[in-house]
Amino acid sequence: MRRIIGQTPRHRLLSGVLRHARSEQTSADQKHEAHEQLGGLLDVLDHRIDEPNGPYVGTIFTQTRLNFGYEPGTVSNEPPSPDRLASSAVMAVGGIMPYLGSAILYSELMGTGRFSALDFVDFRDEERVREAIQEKPDFAFVAGATTYDRYHVRDLNMRLAEQGIITVNGGVAPTLDPHPFRYVNDGTSVFRGEIEGAAGYLIDELVKDPSPRIFTRAGTPGKRSITLLNNPNDTVQLPVDGKVDMKDAYSEEHEVSGGNLARRLEALEMMRTGFSFKGKKYEIPSFLRVHQINTSFGCPERCSFCATEPFQGIEMRHRDLQSIETELIATEAKVVAIVDQNFTANGRDYFVSFLEMLKKHGKRFAYEGELMFYLEQPEEGNPQNFFFDGSPDDEYRAQLLKDTLLAVEVGLEQPVKVKGTITQGKNPDQYNTAIKRLNDLGIIVFGTAMVGLPEELWSPHAVNEKPIVPYESLAQKEWDEMISTWVEWSKSYPGLILFPFEPIPGTPAYRALEKKGLLSYKDGTENIDDTLRPLNLDPVQGIASRQALAKILNEIMSPKIRRTRLKQANFSPLARLFMEVFNRGSSRAFGSRMQ
């Protein structure tokens, strides 16, 4: 009971359930649902392991939250223009979703029994970073860093090493880094791969020998690149499989009896403490609370530029639906964010069963997946790859989608996936058909696309009729046509997020461009900054991705085209208002950071 009351949103949940239970006006079904929800939460908390009393104290440095429009520790004197307020709103929404990977890390570390306490610190918040270093924890874990955080992270690594704090970097970036010993040279260790089931072995190895090394799960893809370096003896293979068995890692034994779920929920609450505005801290309102959940690892798409395939593999590994339902009952949030890289790749049956489960518990969700999933199944097509099949069941599935799907983010790469770019890939002519289905249903769709994906990354059989790559060698007429192609294509998408193409170190795309000598910067083994170019430099020689991006954003964010994009969808007034705020703020909140 103390654990529930100690967290404001859980306290509200308890109060609401008791009101339902005591009220004579509450129906039997409502009382049953309230009893089930409270019972599920109590089951999770009751099975949580005893209060931690391990010998070590640790700090997890990660992305916890964004301030209301400002980076932590900074103040802006910019006047509150409409665009600025919209940008602040977009960033605030991002701030209510702390990094789930850090919550999983917390759960796994606390589950080892080696820690009495673990704290969270946003590595961009200089004041908290300074305080955390002065406290000198036994271990520091740096998780969730992106390429745009590299300066913060490298500086943090060296400062932690100077204080003699045992430090480990983990996540996608260090796992895929072709030269992970650059971290070791800065005095920190690297854990490569998925943390589930490996935390205890990692801590035991560091206690035996705290010197910086590379740790990898047995059989982790990419470990061969380590042995090609000069110091392969400074690597340790932990005795756990390279890929996590989701059914085992998220079993009832681990999730409830073992306390994994309770600790994960606790970690998310610890990170989601609120936001700051003009020096004051505020709690995130309950109606804005979003619960993050992962249901699967992997993606079968094999896009050469994506980090998912080399990090998680192409084989889909998913949790049992019962495990997911246990988590849905245990969280009071009404909105669930699926952080899988390609949720629909779990197949239609799994997807529909998940929708039915959400509707049963009165929740809605957002996710990332494939737009082409919403095409109608062709005669020879695998029914698991398509949501619709032309049967009477389509109406039921469509209504289920409307009742539960709040928003979806679809990866579009180019303005289309160029024909033939991906083996058995998608026909770009079908994109409008798929987006129209979602627009007609009133589903909010965020399309992400990269400007400047070079032809060297297309397959030999790729077909493209219009210029869509901003080559510097284009004649003015071709350049204008290229911009026009992007702008015309964007009109079908109410919410569009454009990025300049960025080759991620360790991906097939990065290796291909490096081999051809097309990268605009040189990769070095001594200094981590050599790999990650300055933000204002186009990454591929001969491609003006940032110049094109600025022009395209200027066009598609104009009031006229914003209105055209919104008209494509069957939106409610509230959804239209939301998308107008998003469209006004997204180019500033996202685009300005990448130009």
Side-chain angles (χ1 to χ4, degrees):
M1 187 69 72
R2 284 196 302 271
R3 290 195 191 112
I4 297 180
I5 296 175
Q7 294 287 352
T8 301
R10 293 178 184 169
H11 190 178
R12 293 194 189 112
L13 171 64
L14 175 60
S15 299
V17 168
L18 292 177
R19 281 197 303 270
H20 276 303
R22 296 172 61 186
S23 174
E24 295 181 358
Q25 297 178 347
T26 303
S27 68
D29 288 343
Q30 288 176 316
K31 288 183 177 180
H32 175 76
E33 182 181 353
H35 179 273
E36 183 182 46
Q37 190 173 19
L38 179 59
L41 179 58
L42 288 173
D43 282 346
V44 169
L45 298 179
D46 185 53
H47 286 91
R48 182 178 178 224
I49 60 173
D50 295 333
E51 291 300 318
N53 57 1
Y56 306 117
V57 172
T59 300
I60 298 175
F61 294 89
T62 185
Q63 301 125 314
T64 57
R65 63 188 184 278
L66 286 173
N67 282 6
F68 194 66
Y70 310 116
E71 290 293 329
T74 66
V75 177
S76 174
N77 294 320
E78 190 172 344
S81 64
D83 282 350
R84 178 67 190 180
L85 292 174
S87 172
S88 297
V90 170
M91 296 175 74
V93 170
I96 67 176
M97 292 180 57
Y99 179 55
L100 178 62
S102 292
I104 294 172
L105 174 63
Y106 175 92
S107 178
E108 293 293 322
L109 289 171
M110 294 302 286
T112 66
R114 275 76 159 177
F115 290 88
S116 59
L118 280 169
D119 193 14
F120 288 99
V121 173
D122 194 309
F123 50 62
R124 302 156 301 178
D125 190 336
E126 176 55 32
E127 182 178 349
R128 282 293 293 121
V129 167
R130 187 166 53 249
E131 292 173 354
I133 293 176
Q134 290 174 350
E135 292 166 1
K136 295 201 70 171
D138 300 298
F139 293 90
F141 304 92
V142 183
T146 69
T147 56
Y148 299 102
D149 298 308
R150 66 186 185 276
Y151 299 117
H152 295 293
V153 170
R154 185 168 190 238
D155 175 69
L156 173 61
N157 284 338
M158 292 189 290
R159 290 165 65 185
L160 291 167
E162 287 173 359
Q163 296 299 315
I165 300 171
I166 302 173
T167 305
V168 184
N169 280 228
V172 175
T175 295
L176 299 188
D177 197 311
H179 304 293
F181 281 103
R182 69 180 88 246
Y183 293 84
V184 174
N185 293 338
D186 284 338
T188 67
S189 290
V190 171
F191 174 78
R192 293 160 64 95
E194 299 160 356
I195 191 62
E196 288 91 333
Y201 298 106
L202 173 65
I203 299 303
D204 289 346
E205 289 289 342
L206 288 169
V207 170
K208 286 192 300 185
D209 180 3
S211 60
R213 286 165 294 162
I214 307 295
F215 296 91
T216 182
R217 302 171 67 106
T220 299
K223 71 178 189 298
R224 291 188 299 275
S225 64
I226 297 178
T227 62
L228 298 176
L229 301 177
N230 295 328
N231 42 357
N233 293 329
D234 291 335
T235 65
V236 176
Q237 280 200 40
L238 303 177
V240 284
D241 291 338
K243 295 298 179 184
V244 170
D245 184 331
M246 296 286 279
K247 293 183 180 180
D248 178 60
Y250 291 89
S251 66
E252 180 80 4
E253 178 184 1
H254 289 171
E255 283 285 88
V256 179
S257 301
N260 280 23
L261 176 54
R263 289 188 294 264
R264 198 161 65 247
L265 293 172
E266 180 180 46
L268 288 171
E269 291 300 326
M270 290 170 65
M271 286 188 280
R272 189 166 38 227
T273 53
F275 60 89
S276 299
F277 183 59
K278 292 187 175 181
K280 294 183 179 181
K281 292 184 178 180
Y282 301 86
E283 182 182 340
I284 296 295
S286 58
F287 72 89
L288 278 179
R289 288 182 177 270
V290 177
H291 176 66
Q292 293 119 282
I293 182 173
N294 65 324
T295 71
S296 63
F297 289 156
C299 179
E301 288 295 309
R302 303 190 185 212
C303 301
S304 66
F305 44 79
C306 182
T308 301
E309 187 270 332
F311 184 68
Q312 296 185 351
I314 62 173
E315 182 180 352
M316 294 303 298
R317 294 165 283 147
H318 58 75
R319 292 168 57 178
D320 287 332
L321 290 169
Q322 178 58 53
S323 166
I324 297 172
E325 186 165 25
T326 299
E327 184 164 350
L328 293 179
I329 292 173
T331 177
E332 73 281 2
K334 293 298 184 183
V335 178
V336 178
I338 307 296
V339 300
D340 304 8
Q341 291 301 304
N342 193 353
F343 179 53
T344 53
N346 292 312
R348 182 169 71 193
D349 290 346
Y350 189 91
F351 188 83
V352 171
S353 296
F354 178 80
L355 299 185
E356 291 171 334
M357 186 190 306
L358 281 175
K359 187 171 182 178
K360 170 186 173 183
H361 294 288
K363 298 182 186 292
R364 305 190 74 185
F365 82 119
Y367 81 97
E368 181 179 357
E370 264 288 322
L371 177 60
M372 303 309 235
F373 181 69
Y374 295 102
L375 290 174
E376 187 172 301
Q377 172 196 336
E379 287 187 15
E380 302 299 324
N382 182 346
Q384 294 303 313
N385 294 336
F386 300 91
F387 190 69
F388 299 103
D389 60 7
S391 71
D393 289 338
D394 282 354
E395 184 176 350
Y396 167 74
R397 285 191 284 261
Q399 186 61 49
L400 197 58
L401 201 66
K402 290 178 64 175
D403 292 340
T404 56
L405 181 53
L406 184 65
V408 56
E409 179 185 316
V410 293
L412 305 168
E413 291 81 49
Q414 292 283 23
V416 293
K417 271 183 178 171
V418 180
K419 292 180 182 177
T421 298
I422 298 173
T423 304
Q424 297 179 339
K426 314 301 186 299
N427 183 340
D429 298 333
Q430 297 174 311
Y431 266 66
N432 282 344
T433 302
I435 190 64
K436 187 177 185 306
R437 280 188 178 272
L438 294 177
N439 283 341
D440 289 345
L441 291 173
I443 304 296
I444 293 176
V445 180
F446 299 102
T448 59
M450 298 183 298
V451 178
L453 181 67
E455 292 181 10
E456 285 77 8
L457 299 181
W458 303 359
S459 76
H461 306 293
V463 177
N464 185 49
E465 298 174 354
K466 296 181 179 180
I468 55 176
V469 182
Y471 288 110
E472 295 174 352
S473 59
L474 290 177
Q476 186 62 48
K477 182 179 179 181
E478 293 174 313
W479 179 271
D480 293 341
E481 184 183 0
M482 179 267 302
I483 298 294
S484 177
T485 299
W486 280 91
V487 172
E488 287 301 313
W489 162 79
S490 73
K491 291 179 180 178
S492 297
Y493 295 84
L496 191 63
I497 307 172
L498 297 180
F499 302 90
F501 169 67
E502 180 77 30
I504 302 171
T507 59
Y510 183 93
R511 293 194 298 270
L513 293 173
E514 184 182 41
K515 185 176 181 180
K516 292 177 180 291
L518 293 176
L519 293 180
S520 297
Y521 46 91
K522 183 179 180 182
D523 183 15
T525 60
E526 299 301 321
N527 189 319
I528 192 171
D529 290 337
D530 290 341
T531 298
L532 304 166
R533 54 155 192 76
L535 293 180
N536 60 356
L537 179 67
D538 285 319
V540 183
Q541 293 181 14
I543 296 181
S545 56
R546 296 176 185 281
Q547 179 184 351
L549 175 63
K551 178 65 175 174
I552 296 166
L553 285 175
N554 185 62
E555 294 282 340
I556 68 174
M557 295 301 176
S558 67
K560 180 179 179 180
I561 293 185
R562 283 209 312 268
R563 287 194 296 270
T564 299
R565 290 161 60 196
L566 285 176
K567 287 180 181 178
Q568 305 302 313
N570 181 29
F571 282 162
S572 66
L574 183 60
R576 286 187 178 278
L577 176 61
F578 174 82
M579 291 307 298
E580 175 62 18
V581 171
F582 171 81
N583 284 327
R584 289 183 72 114
S586 61
S587 61
R588 184 183 184 103
F590 299 115
S592 62
R593 294 184 174 196
M594 303 180 187
Q595 294 181 38

